[in-house]
């Protein structure tokens, strides 16, 4: 039974054998979301004060602007994708809101918009408004009274010179500048803002389709719904073939990896910040089809996108009133940041970029094809972000082993060793109930994982070093099927140092296991731990102590997360042998770990204090 209030069309299992959904389903959901927010608009529709949570750190007025901007973006996709047809009058109400909000911006009136200032939330929302205006320019902007256009342009123009945070925010002036330049407004300043923003993100392009979200190693979905989205859309709307070739080529490379981040049930991997945007994860999939820069077949694009949208609707992301909640499935505060307000989830509007593709486009007319997680078991290294992706067809689970992405501001969504499509990190930093964590115990608490340094990723493996409790730790994961071999080496630790390792925090219907191989003792599992997926997860735990011999600082375990009902014994899935030969190069103690998969290859892992080699 559907867990939302929308009355959807009948499923079409001939066209869409995996989801049953068609373009008509997307249109119905878009209309339902737009109708549902209407009662929460102020008198002329300039602000949308949505229920569902306390104000964000920017305050209630900024949150009201956010409600306007993000739902306006949804309306723009809906109308532009319908060839300008607007039988529900969506654009009329957003035009009225634009006129009211810009009448006295920065004022105290009940509908006055806050000003765009340096590093302020209105800068973010100005980008959505500008993009929506650009999409619907002839239908909305060109029909506005001259005075309203002048006021709106004056408000938007502050975005051209406002300082952005050093991350994807640099692209918001690009989006505003693109619209103003196209409309012939402050063209020199607008074009300068576009050039400046694109220049600033260029050092963050790390190759192979991946950006970091700023100068540090911040890798997550912002790659798709921001770092690729805004430059590619700007190039596409500008009709600049050279610019589109540059940014579109990067998008195509990214999508080859990105498509692997969706599970067989439609869920995206649960990692990174701003997860309450939910199906916004699908926007780069649509963008690739829209611009012709994608390695994905049209049917696979729709299957992944429709699968994600249906995944969230079927699991309660929309309230009985038709509103998106602050959370993941339903309301869940664990995925929120201080900038999250009641209207924040409506950046999910980006998911509806697919409506810009006409009904006759192959992405809507070709039969759905399976996504990567449904085709074959796969272990895929992503060296740029330092990830190893592991997916299994039998349960559709995708696991992300993190050996390169870090953002200490948003722990636990960046610093854990693993994330998946069916588990969420437990809350509370790196306390005793932290999942997928290894570290020494300091004052009885596991030391946090910081200063993550990627040491490589290749066929079936990934490795990294990190700091924990003042010690350097080298970590390696090897994966085959649903099984993992997890290796951790404490560097220069004193004998008698207690360490602790945890596995996946799994709820009902999942099996999470750790099997000690070297240096560990199995402890009773922790239970009744909340995550975004379940109020009561179970967490396997291993403990150990460092000793006097070099191999006594090495800790090895088998791990597994699976949705299979009766998997074979974990202990029988791989044989592991440890040796510590003399290092002829004088690089310190060498640890050699031989891994023989029961139904797979033999691998040799060679670890020194500063490097990892796998052959």
């Amino acid at each position: 039974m559907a867990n939302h209030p929308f009355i959807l069309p009948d499923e079409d299992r001939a066209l869409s054998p995996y989801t049953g959904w068609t373009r008509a389903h997307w249109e119905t959901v878009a209309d339902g979301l737009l109708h549902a927010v209407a009662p929460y608009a102020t008198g002329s529709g300039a602000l949308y004060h949505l229920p569902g949570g306390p104000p964000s750190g920017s305050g209630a007025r900024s949150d009201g602007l956010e409600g306007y901007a993000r739902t306006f973006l949804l309306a723009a996709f809906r109308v532009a994708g319908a060839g300008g047809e607007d039988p529900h009058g969506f654009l009329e109400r957003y035009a009225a809101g634009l006129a009211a909000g810009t009448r006295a911006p920065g004022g105290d009136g009940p509908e006055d918009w806050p000003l765009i200032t340096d590093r302020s939330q209105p800068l973010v929302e100005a980008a959505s408004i500008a993009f929506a205006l650009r999409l619907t320019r002839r239908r909305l902007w060109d029909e506005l009274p001259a005075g309203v256009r002048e006021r709106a342009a004056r408000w938007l123009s502050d975005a051209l010179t406002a300082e952005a945070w050093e991350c994807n925010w640099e692209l918001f002036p690009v989006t505003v500048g693109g619209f103003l330049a196209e409309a012939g407004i402050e063209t020199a300043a607008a074009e300068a803002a576009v050039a400046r923003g694109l220049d600033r993100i260029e050092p963050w392009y790390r190759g192979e389709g991946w950006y970091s979200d700023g100068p540090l190693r911040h890798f997550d979905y912002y790659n798709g719904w921001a770092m690729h989205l805004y430059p590619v859309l700007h190039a596409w709307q500008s009709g600049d073939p050279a610019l589109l070739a540059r940014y579109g080529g990067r998008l195509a490379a990214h999508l080859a990896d990105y498509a692997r981040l969706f599970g067989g049930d439609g869920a995206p991997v649960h990692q990174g910040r701003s997860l309450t945007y939910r199906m916004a994860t699908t926007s780069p999939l649509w963008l690739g089809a829209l611009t012709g820069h994608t390695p994905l077949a049209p049917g696979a694009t729709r299957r992944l996108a429709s699968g994600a949208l249906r995944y969230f609707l079927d699991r309660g992301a929309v309230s009985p009133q038709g509103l998106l909640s602050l959370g993941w499935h339903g309301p869940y505060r664990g995925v929120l940041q201080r900038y999250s307000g009641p209207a924040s989830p409506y950046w999910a509007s980006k998911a509806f970029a697919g409506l810009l593709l006409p009904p006759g486009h192959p992405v809507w007319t070709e039969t759905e094809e399976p996504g990567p997680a449904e085709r074959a078991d796969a272990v895929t290294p992503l060296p740029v972000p330092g990830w190893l992706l592991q997916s299994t067809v039998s349960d559709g689970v995708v696991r992300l082993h993190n050996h390169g992405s870090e953002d200490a501001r948003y722990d636990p969504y960046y610093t854990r060793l693993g994330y998946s499509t069916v588990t969420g990190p437990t809350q509370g930093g790196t306390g005793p109930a932290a999942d997928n964590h290894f570290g020494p115990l300091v004052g009885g608490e596991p030391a946090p994982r910081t200063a993550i340094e990627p040491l490589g990723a290749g066929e079936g493996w990934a490795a990294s070093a990190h700091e924990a409790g003042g010690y350097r730790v080298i970590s390696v994961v090897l994966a085959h099927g649903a099984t993992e071999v997890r290796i951790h080496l404490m560097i220069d630790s004193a004998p008698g140092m207690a360490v602790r390792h945890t596995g996946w925090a799994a709820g009902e219907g999942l099996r999470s296991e750790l099997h000690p191989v070297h240096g560990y003792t199995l402890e009773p599992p922790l239970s009744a731990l909340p995550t975004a997926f379940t109020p009561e997860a179970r967490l396997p735990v291993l403990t150990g102590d460092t000793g006097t011999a070099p191999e006594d600082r090495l800790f090895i375990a088998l791990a597994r997360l699976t949705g299979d009902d009766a998997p074979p014994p974990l202990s029988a899935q791989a044989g592991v042998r440890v040796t510590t030969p003399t290092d002829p190069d004088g690089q310190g103690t060498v640890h050699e770990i031989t891994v023989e998969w029961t139904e797979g290859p033999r691998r040799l892992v060679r670890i020194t204090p500063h490097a990892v080699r796998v052959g």
Side-chain angles (χ1 to χ4, degrees):
M1 179 179 292
N3 199 8
H4 56 77
F6 306 138
I7 301 175
L8 297 176
D10 292 337
E11 293 184 358
D12 186 340
R13 289 287 172 173
L15 180 64
S16 302
Y18 292 90
T19 69
W21 280 29
T22 65
R23 180 188 173 94
H25 291 78
W26 283 83
E27 292 172 339
T28 300
V29 174
D31 290 346
L33 291 171
L34 287 166
H35 287 309
V37 298
Y40 302 96
T42 50
S44 296
L47 303 172
Y48 283 69
H49 293 299
L50 300 177
S56 72
S58 298
R61 187 177 296 270
S62 176
D63 292 347
L65 172 63
E66 186 173 70
Y68 171 91
R70 299 187 180 196
T71 58
F72 180 23
L73 182 60
L74 176 57
F77 283 136
R78 179 68 175 100
V79 175
E85 296 295 322
D86 187 15
H88 302 292
F90 293 139
L91 293 190
E92 182 179 348
R93 84 187 199 201
Y94 285 98
L98 184 72
T102 58
R103 190 167 291 121
D108 296 326
E111 296 195 272
D112 295 337
W113 284 356
L115 296 173
I116 301 168
T117 57
D118 291 348
R119 301 182 180 90
S120 66
Q121 189 65 30
L123 175 59
V124 182
E125 309 318 321
S128 290
I129 292 170
F131 181 43
L133 290 171
R134 197 172 184 183
L135 281 173
T136 60
R137 182 182 165 196
R138 290 178 176 80
R139 183 72 170 76
L140 193 159
W141 180 262
D142 291 350
E143 299 300 318
L144 291 172
V148 175
R149 290 200 304 270
E150 290 171 5
R151 296 200 311 268
R154 193 178 309 122
W155 181 79
L156 284 168
S157 65
D158 284 342
L160 302 179
T161 54
E163 278 299 314
W165 291 108
E166 199 176 17
C167 62
N168 65 87
W169 280 48
E170 297 284 8
L171 293 168
F172 301 141
V174 171
T175 304
V176 175
F179 166 66
L180 293 178
E182 182 181 278
I185 300 166
E186 296 194 35
T187 53
E191 291 170 355
V194 171
R196 182 175 63 252
L198 294 179
D199 285 346
R200 286 183 175 178
I201 70 165
E202 193 60 24
W204 306 339
Y205 182 66
R206 304 299 180 88
E208 299 182 23
W210 285 91
Y211 288 90
S212 59
D213 187 16
L216 303 178
R217 294 190 59 82
H218 301 163
F219 296 103
D220 66 5
Y221 283 112
Y222 273 91
N223 261 274
W225 66 38
M227 303 305 295
H228 284 290
L229 185 75
Y230 293 110
V232 174
L233 281 173
H234 170 71
W236 174 69
Q237 290 186 299
S238 299
D240 186 328
L243 205 62
L244 185 57
R246 180 182 199 182
Y247 293 112
R250 293 177 178 180
L251 172 65
H254 182 64
L255 289 175
D257 294 338
Y258 193 84
R260 296 184 177 277
L261 297 175
F262 294 85
D265 60 359
V269 169
H270 193 78
Q271 178 267 344
R273 63 189 174 97
S274 299
L275 291 176
T276 194
Y277 303 158
R278 296 181 173 100
M279 51 272 197
T281 55
T282 67
S283 57
L285 301 170
W286 294 122
L287 186 60
L290 180 67
T291 62
H293 290 276
T294 180
L296 305 177
T301 294
R302 189 175 81 255
R303 186 273 173 275
L304 291 172
S306 292
L309 179 58
R310 179 162 192 174
Y311 172 84
F312 287 111
L313 262 64
D314 285 351
R315 288 164 177 78
V318 174
S319 73
Q321 294 74 38
L323 301 173
L324 286 168
S325 62
L326 280 162
W328 183 244
H329 292 160
Y332 180 68
R333 296 297 176 88
V335 298
L336 307 184
Q337 284 79 43
R338 68 173 300 275
Y339 56 78
S340 302
S344 294
Y346 284 85
W347 241 14
S349 296
K350 293 180 177 183
F352 294 84
L355 294 178
L356 296 176
L357 292 154
H361 191 281
V363 82
W364 294 118
T365 61
E366 291 193 7
T367 303
E368 280 184 345
E369 299 182 21
E374 298 166 298
R375 296 175 196 154
D377 290 0
V379 179
T380 307
L382 304 183
V384 173
W387 290 350
L388 185 71
L389 301 183
Q390 176 190 19
S391 61
T392 42
V393 171
S394 62
D395 54 10
V397 175
V398 177
R399 308 150 190 86
L400 185 162
H401 301 285
N402 175 34
H403 289 267
S405 181
E406 178 183 19
D407 191 336
R409 298 171 299 171
Y410 303 116
D411 179 76
Y413 283 94
Y414 284 85
T415 59
R416 300 289 166 85
L417 290 162
Y419 300 90
S420 83
T421 53
V422 294
T423 63
T426 55
Q427 299 303 308
T430 54
D435 64 294
N436 282 311
H437 181 73
F438 173 89
L441 296 178
V442 178
E445 293 285 316
R449 184 187 188 208
T450 62
I452 299 172
E453 173 193 349
L455 296 180
E459 184 180 352
W461 68 276
S464 61
H466 69 271
E467 298 295 326
Y471 298 99
R472 179 176 168 87
V473 181
I474 291 181
S475 301
V476 185
V477 63
L478 293 90
H480 182 74
T483 307
E484 313 152 33
V485 175
R486 297 184 177 189
I487 305 167
H488 300 285
L489 176 65
M490 296 287 297
I491 304 295
D492 298 329
S493 61
M497 171 65 69
V499 301
R500 187 172 183 274
H501 181 43
T502 54
W504 301 94
E508 186 178 355
L510 295 170
R511 181 189 296 262
S512 173
E513 301 169 88
L514 286 176
H515 174 73
V517 172
H518 182 91
Y520 285 125
T521 299
L522 181 64
E523 301 290 338
L526 295 173
S527 60
L529 303 173
T531 74
F533 292 79
T534 177
E536 296 186 359
R538 289 177 61 82
L539 184 66
V541 181
L542 300 176
T543 59
D545 296 278
T546 58
T548 56
E551 61 269 25
D552 294 341
R553 295 196 297 268
L554 186 66
F555 299 89
I556 305 174
L558 299 181
R560 181 166 59 188
L561 170 68
T562 180
D564 292 346
D565 292 334
L570 176 60
S571 59
Q573 298 311 296
V576 180
R577 186 174 69 255
V578 176
T579 57
T580 54
T582 302
D583 181 11
D585 300 322
Q587 299 298 311
T589 301
V590 175
H591 298 273
E592 289 188 351
I593 301 98
T594 302
V595 176
E596 296 193 39
W597 298 108
T598 302
E599 297 182 358
R602 176 180 178 272
R603 309 304 299 268
L604 176 63
V605 182
R606 190 172 189 269
I607 306 175
T608 70
H610 302 286
V612 173
R613 292 177 57 187
V614 180

